[in-house]
Amino acid sequence: QVQLVESGGGLVQPGGSLRLSCAASGSIFSIYAMGWYRQAPGKQRELVAVITIGGSTNYADSVKGRFTISRDNAKNTVYLQMNSLKPEDTDVYYCNADISTLSSRNDYWGQGTQVTVSS
């Protein structure tokens, strides 16, 4: 059984910063790409940022220059540093990881963490 557990969401003022963390646990053989997505009520989930096993990154245009994704392979953890936050960044943020166990390879999702940017 593989689990992704997120932390670090909350309420922040416009212009502020938050750091999200997502730790994978369980019978993990290898973790490939890891990423962050966000979703507002009634809208489709959208990619925020992704990082490959080799460290290559890709960002949504709306967060380029403000958000930074990173990972610690020794800890099976991915981070999202969010700076210069705007009200439009308010969403539920979900961690995603492409993980192989000894028996299979699947896409896994965290439970989501709320980020609210408001004065």
Side-chain angles (χ1 to χ4, degrees):
Q1 188 79 2
V2 173
Q3 280 190 319
L4 299 182
V5 178
E6 300 146 348
S7 61
L11 173 65
V12 64
Q13 292 188 339
S17 298
L18 281 175
R19 189 192 195 206
L20 306 182
S21 299
C22 172
S25 62
S27 303
I28 296 169
F29 179 72
S30 187
I31 303 178
Y32 303 97
M34 304 183 81
W36 290 94
Y37 291 72
R38 63 187 183 187
Q39 186 173 24
K43 293 189 177 181
Q44 282 194 330
R45 194 168 294 187
E46 63 176 12
L47 174 70
V48 176
V50 64
I51 184 167
T52 68
I53 190 171
S56 298
T57 59
N58 193 34
Y59 296 92
D61 287 343
S62 59
V63 307
K64 282 180 181 176
R66 300 188 297 123
F67 292 9
T68 302
I69 189 170
S70 61
R71 62 190 286 172
D72 184 334
N73 292 329
K75 296 182 178 180
N76 291 338
T77 299
V78 63
Y79 305 97
L80 186 69
Q81 178 66 43
M82 304 185 293
N83 299 328
S84 303
L85 282 160
K86 305 175 181 179
E88 51 263 44
D89 294 318
T90 296
D91 268 324
V92 178
Y93 284 69
Y94 296 89
C95 172
N96 172 266
D98 178 6
I99 296 174
S100 65
T101 63
L102 289 178
S103 59
S104 65
R105 178 173 174 175
N106 291 290
D107 231 21
Y108 293 88
W109 292 91
Q111 79 284 359
T113 185
Q114 177 70 47
V115 171
T116 302
V117 185
S118 175
S119 54

